[in-house]
Amino acid sequence: LHSGGSTNLSGGMLEGYDQVRSTLSSQNVNRVLLLSDGLANEGITDVNKLQQIVRSKYKEEGIAISTFGVGANYDEDLLTNLAEYGMGNYYYISSADKIPELLTEELEGLLSVVAQNTKVSIDFQSEYFKPVKVYGYEHTLKGNTLTIDYNDVFSEEEKSVLIKFEVIRNPKSDMPFSIGLTYDDVLEDYKRVKKKAKKVLKLTSDRDTYDQAFIESVQRNIVLFEATERFELAAKEVDKGNYDDARRMIQENVVFMDESFKAVQPDSMLLKQYTINRSYHTEISEIETKSAEEISSMQKSNKSSNYL
């Protein structure tokens, strides 16, 4: 084999789908693993087209894709998007000797799947509420039902999703929210399981009642997801070369988290995100002294931490 400087990412990816299709089964974990160290510069190179392919492969055939980026010269935003739209995972591999470790992590996860075709649905009163943001996962919205597709769920895995609603019309009485969970139970011969729960949004004009309903874990998730999104926007400014804007945005994010910690006790995940932001601010404070390859590696490492 001789390196020719070209990366036909789409060709390799589509070949992977063909290979998986040859053993396709609703009772298998059907997954493509895409490993790349370069930019997609041959075959299909349009980002939107590649995203459409992985999304349709999952929706129409049930084949997901996980992506692995190696080194400093690949497009981390593309590989992250392919994993997100393709219902898999994204991994940053800083050097080739770490490939076995991360491939093992992915495969061990696939071998511990306990639920497949997992979906959560939320029914709400669409004349009163409008979902304006779903943090963490792709979703579909049809009428008054919002659906989040979790795909495969591993043993001991926890999933969190945060949904932000806008009140478009003031309700006159308590509002019910119905929640559904459906999945195929791998441990019970793929029996289809359906569970339902109901939450009621209660109206009150009493401040004490409102304060007593405060749920700290929800507030922690709000801080975490918003801080993650702010970090992502700052990283994009670094990609554009707008270093002053990026430094300001990260500093504002650190201040936002500092202020938030006065109201909620940070857990280990929030503290990790706080550390990532502080470290990133230090790195970009001296970014003008770094080489292009150093900046590229810095971006991939920090974006990966934020993604996780």
Side-chain angles (χ1 to χ4, degrees):
L1 293 176
H2 302 280
S3 173
S6 298
T7 300
N8 189 344
L9 185 141
S10 64
M13 183 179 77
L14 291 170
E15 175 62 25
Y17 279 115
D18 287 342
Q19 294 286 339
V20 173
R21 193 181 297 109
S22 68
T23 58
L24 190 67
S25 168
S26 61
Q27 296 187 356
N28 286 349
V29 177
N30 304 291
R31 182 78 55 105
V32 172
L33 306 185
L34 174 65
L35 184 82
S36 181
D37 68 346
L39 301 172
N41 52 23
E42 277 197 7
I44 301 170
T45 59
D46 181 77
V47 173
N48 292 326
K49 179 64 175 175
L50 291 169
Q51 290 175 178
Q52 289 170 10
I53 290 172
V54 298
R55 173 176 273 177
S56 66
K57 293 293 183 184
Y58 175 73
K59 287 191 172 182
E60 296 169 14
E61 301 181 50
I63 304 175
I65 186 168
S66 289
T67 60
F68 301 76
V70 185
N73 298 314
Y74 69 92
D75 184 344
E76 68 273 17
D77 295 330
L78 171 61
L79 292 192
T80 303
N81 285 341
L82 292 183
E84 290 292 286
Y85 282 93
M87 299 303 295
N89 304 304
Y90 162 70
Y91 299 87
Y92 164 55
I93 304 176
S94 56
S95 58
D97 59 0
K98 293 188 177 180
I99 292 174
E101 174 189 337
L102 291 175
L103 279 173
T104 299
E105 181 180 329
E106 170 76 358
L107 291 171
E108 285 181 346
L110 298 181
L111 290 169
S112 66
V113 169
V114 293
Q116 291 188 297
N117 302 312
T118 309
K119 291 181 172 62
V120 170
S121 62
I122 297 98
D123 291 326
F124 60 95
Q125 304 290 324
S126 56
E127 63 266 38
Y128 296 102
F129 304 104
K130 176 183 177 182
V132 293
K133 189 81 176 177
V134 178
Y135 295 85
Y137 291 93
E138 290 294 312
H139 66 284
T140 57
L141 179 62
K142 291 185 178 180
N144 64 344
T145 301
L146 187 148
T147 303
I148 298 148
D149 192 340
Y150 285 138
N151 192 17
D152 299 326
V153 177
F154 307 152
S155 175
E156 303 299 322
E157 184 180 19
E158 292 187 7
K159 299 280 192 181
S160 294
V161 64
L162 183 69
I163 304 164
K164 183 176 183 178
F165 286 95
E166 175 185 327
V167 179
I168 56 177
R169 179 180 164 197
N170 286 332
K172 303 298 183 183
S173 60
D174 294 349
M175 289 282 107
F177 283 72
S178 298
I179 303 161
L181 169 66
T182 57
Y183 62 93
D184 297 329
D185 190 337
V186 174
L187 305 181
E188 294 292 336
D189 199 26
Y190 297 90
K191 175 185 175 183
R192 189 67 174 164
V193 177
K194 297 181 180 180
K195 296 186 176 184
K196 289 190 175 182
K198 183 172 284 189
K199 297 291 183 181
V200 178
L201 180 66
K202 298 181 178 180
L203 299 187
T204 182
S205 57
D206 181 65
R207 182 72 199 196
D208 288 339
T209 302
Y210 174 82
D211 290 339
Q212 289 169 12
F214 178 79
I215 302 174
E216 191 167 15
S217 61
V218 174
Q219 190 60 37
R220 274 198 294 265
N221 270 335
I222 292 173
V223 177
L224 178 63
F225 281 113
E226 289 195 354
T228 301
E229 187 173 58
R230 288 163 175 247
F231 184 103
E232 187 176 331
L233 293 173
K236 288 180 179 179
E237 293 306 310
V238 172
D239 288 339
K240 297 174 186 176
N242 300 330
Y243 302 141
D244 288 339
D245 287 341
R247 284 188 277 258
R248 174 184 53 77
M249 292 167 73
I250 287 295
Q251 181 58 38
E252 288 175 352
N253 204 19
V254 170
V255 171
F256 162 71
M257 297 179 82
D258 278 330
E259 290 298 312
S260 299
F261 293 164
K262 295 176 182 178
V264 295
Q265 183 71 28
D267 59 7
S268 59
M269 192 71 74
L270 261 179
L271 290 173
K272 188 173 183 179
Q273 178 69 325
Y274 184 76
T275 301
I276 290 168
N277 274 266
R278 293 291 297 268
S279 174
Y280 192 50
H281 187 267
T282 300
E283 287 186 272
I284 61 178
S285 67
E286 49 197 38
I287 195 170
E288 285 86 357
T289 66
K290 299 180 187 294
S291 68
E293 184 161 334
E294 286 174 329
I295 293 173
S296 180
S297 295
M298 177 195 76
Q299 287 293 88
K300 286 172 173 57
S301 176
N302 282 286
K303 288 180 184 180
S304 175
S305 296
N306 194 57
Y307 165 82
L308 291 173

